[in-house]
Amino acid sequence: MATKPTTVYLVGAGPGDPDLLTLKAHRILREADEILHDDLVPSAILAVANPAAAVANVGKRCGAKTMTQEQINARMIQSAREGRKVARLKGGDPGIFGRMAEEIDALEAAGIPFEVIPGITAGMAAAASLGISLTDRHKSSHATFVSAHPARHDGEDVRPDWKNIVHPDGVLVIYMPGSNHARLRDELIAAGLDPQMPTALISRASTAEQTIQYTTLMNLGRVPPAAAPSILLIGRSLDRASRRQRAPELSVLIDEATSIFSHR
């Protein structure tokens, strides 16, 4: 008699702090026989896993792959058919700028049951690290989550359509902002965003390695790239955070063009 396939769990690892894992994500990681994780899932999260579990890094970064998406899909399906409890562990929330939809398609086509375990996405953790609300009725009526990573259409990279994305009364939460901050600045200003809009680049939000750099959109090109994962926040709601960081006890870096407030 054939073994009934087990459920594959598509689990959000959250922004990196193990205390921010949901209770259900924590339980699944403790019970899983096999954990297939993204490259940016930190060791502190993996330490929660069942010590007997087979743990594999299947991540893709900057074009480098430890395993193709097709191989990841095949491994999940094969393991589930063999009766193993599989956790597909994704940074942040599994449905935000990941490839969960492709994995769901593959699982459904193979007749494998699955369950999505949501997680705290990095954009929310970045805002929390600044002590701000992304939606502030006095400053921002909405927040837009967008990736600066080019989309791939017909074999060509396509940049985001910023003119249909930016709004003066919203907050931009930009995932994967990349290293060419000057290009991103120019695109956003050309799309109509105020060059003096408060801006913050947050790296590894919620972890002990977190860094925050404050500037304005105009001076974004002078901010060096941050360690991944990083989030770029742009909007008037950041005014409160940047004022708070002007407290004298915090380290302040000032140059002739702008003030970038950094702390760990």
Side-chain angles (χ1 to χ4, degrees):
M1 182 176 178
T3 302
K4 182 180 179 181
T6 54
T7 298
V8 171
Y9 294 89
L10 304 167
V11 183
D17 181 352
D19 287 344
L20 294 180
L21 280 170
T22 66
L23 290 174
K24 191 164 190 176
H26 193 283
R27 176 174 62 79
I28 295 298
L29 291 178
R30 294 297 299 171
E31 295 174 352
D33 302 306
E34 188 168 357
I35 297 172
L36 308 177
H37 67 88
D38 284 348
D39 190 68
L40 289 174
V41 174
S43 58
I45 298 293
L46 297 177
V48 173
N50 173 7
V55 179
N57 180 349
V58 299
K60 298 175 283 291
R61 287 185 66 187
C62 302
K65 300 179 178 68
T66 55
M67 189 178 291
T68 67
Q69 187 62 56
E70 291 73 20
Q71 289 171 327
I72 294 170
N73 297 344
R75 181 159 174 175
M76 289 191 299
I77 292 166
Q78 183 63 30
S79 294
R81 284 175 172 165
E82 292 173 355
R84 291 194 290 275
K85 187 169 186 175
V86 180
R88 174 67 176 100
L89 187 62
K90 295 172 172 286
D93 181 272
I96 301 291
F97 301 118
R99 298 177 71 171
M100 185 180 76
E102 296 171 48
E103 295 174 354
I104 288 175
D105 287 346
L107 292 169
E108 288 184 327
I112 305 296
F114 68 89
E115 182 177 344
V116 178
I117 312 298
I120 295 174
T121 186
M124 302 303 298
S129 72
L130 302 185
I132 65 167
S133 172
L134 290 176
T135 54
D136 182 328
R137 68 191 183 99
H138 300 295
K139 294 179 181 292
S140 57
S141 61
H142 64 279
T144 301
F145 290 66
V146 60
S147 169
H149 194 277
R152 194 76 172 165
H153 293 299
D154 298 326
E156 295 185 2
D157 288 342
V158 179
R159 299 287 296 171
D161 183 5
W162 294 115
K163 287 185 179 180
N164 287 318
I165 294 173
V166 302
H167 192 282
D169 296 324
V171 173
L172 274 179
V173 183
I174 302 179
Y175 290 68
M176 294 173 277
S179 58
N180 193 342
H181 293 160
R183 177 182 181 179
L184 183 57
R185 171 203 62 200
D186 293 345
E187 290 176 341
L188 291 170
I189 292 175
L193 207 54
D194 181 358
Q196 299 306 315
M197 194 71 78
T199 302
L201 181 65
I202 302 94
S203 169
R204 297 177 177 174
S206 84
T207 72
E209 292 78 33
Q210 172 182 284
T211 63
I212 302 172
Q213 298 182 81
Y214 290 97
T215 185
T216 61
L217 179 58
M218 173 62 75
N219 292 300
L220 178 60
R222 306 189 67 164
V223 178
S230 62
I231 295 287
L232 186 65
L233 298 181
I234 304 174
R236 294 193 178 97
S237 288
L238 276 69
D239 276 336
R240 179 178 287 116
S242 60
R243 287 198 305 270
R244 190 180 302 126
Q245 301 312 316
R246 289 185 173 91
E249 66 271 14
L250 293 174
S251 170
V252 180
L253 172 64
I254 301 178
D255 63 28
E256 68 278 6
T258 187
S259 298
I260 301 176
F261 300 89
S262 304
H263 75 275
R264 290 183 182 270

